[in-house]
Amino acid sequence: MISYNYETEFELSNEDEFSKWVSAIIESENKKEGEINYIFCDDDYLLEINQQYLDHDTLTDIISFDYSVGNELHGDIFISIERVRENAEEFNVSFDEELKRVMAHGVLHYCGYKDKTESDEQLMRSKEDEKIKLFHVEH
């Protein structure tokens, strides 16, 4: 079950399409879909979570809390819409593409992909690109 929560003015216009896509990502990694909650928020909201739970005092586009059990994926994925907008501009991509990248990124962490080393980050980027392409596939 994939759910969406909004702590900002932003709302996905097509939640069903995004849910089908996230389910396809999970299936493509041979995992089972559990409860995944996307929480869309602003910088201040995410900064507070970053400080309170991770002891980091920095802005970020995404924080994911992984509650997965074995192959069944569960978690909360917090996304700052402000960061996504700024990153889209910085990387010269559409807001929509950057949003998909960040949404895929959270789920890919639950699948076991990391991004702390350069080689891990390259693999993560490659996986994000691969999963973004699944959005265009007819389900």
Side-chain angles (χ1 to χ4, degrees):
M1 172 81 190
I2 297 159
S3 61
Y4 305 95
N5 303 280
Y6 304 96
E7 298 294 333
T8 182
E9 295 296 310
F10 170 83
E11 277 191 37
L12 287 174
S13 58
N14 49 351
E15 288 183 358
D16 287 348
E17 283 303 306
F18 275 92
S19 294
K20 287 177 190 168
W21 172 63
V22 173
S23 296
I25 293 173
I26 293 166
E27 197 175 299
S28 74
E29 290 293 326
N30 298 312
K31 302 290 183 186
K32 292 186 181 121
E33 183 180 313
E35 301 255 340
I36 296 179
N37 302 303
Y38 283 95
I39 301 94
F40 298 101
C41 57
D42 61 18
D43 280 346
D44 290 340
Y45 190 99
L46 203 53
L47 179 60
E48 194 172 308
I49 288 170
N50 215 359
Q51 291 166 334
Q52 186 174 348
Y53 295 100
L54 303 175
D55 209 24
H56 297 159
D57 194 19
T58 55
L59 293 175
T60 186
D61 52 359
I62 180 172
I63 295 176
S64 57
F65 294 95
D66 187 353
Y67 314 122
S68 298
V69 179
N71 255 359
E72 193 171 276
L73 306 187
H74 297 269
D76 293 325
I77 299 171
F78 293 84
I79 296 174
S80 168
I81 293 304
E82 287 176 275
R83 279 303 97 220
V84 171
R85 277 201 180 98
E86 283 194 21
N87 288 346
E89 281 180 30
E90 184 180 328
F91 302 128
N92 202 26
V93 297
S94 70
F95 170 80
D96 193 51
E97 183 176 336
E98 187 61 18
L99 180 64
K100 287 175 187 159
R101 179 172 305 285
V102 175
M103 289 178 72
H105 184 93
V107 172
L108 287 168
H109 271 308
Y110 300 164
C111 294
Y113 297 97
K114 309 286 182 219
D115 57 4
K116 295 295 182 209
T117 68
E118 197 172 314
S119 63
D120 285 349
E121 195 172 322
Q122 285 176 343
L123 177 59
M124 176 68 89
R125 290 295 159 271
S126 152
K127 281 290 178 178
E128 289 166 1
D129 291 341
E130 174 189 312
K131 302 314 178 190
I132 287 169
K133 289 179 184 138
L134 291 177
F135 197 90
H136 305 290
V137 173
E138 291 299 316
H139 300 287

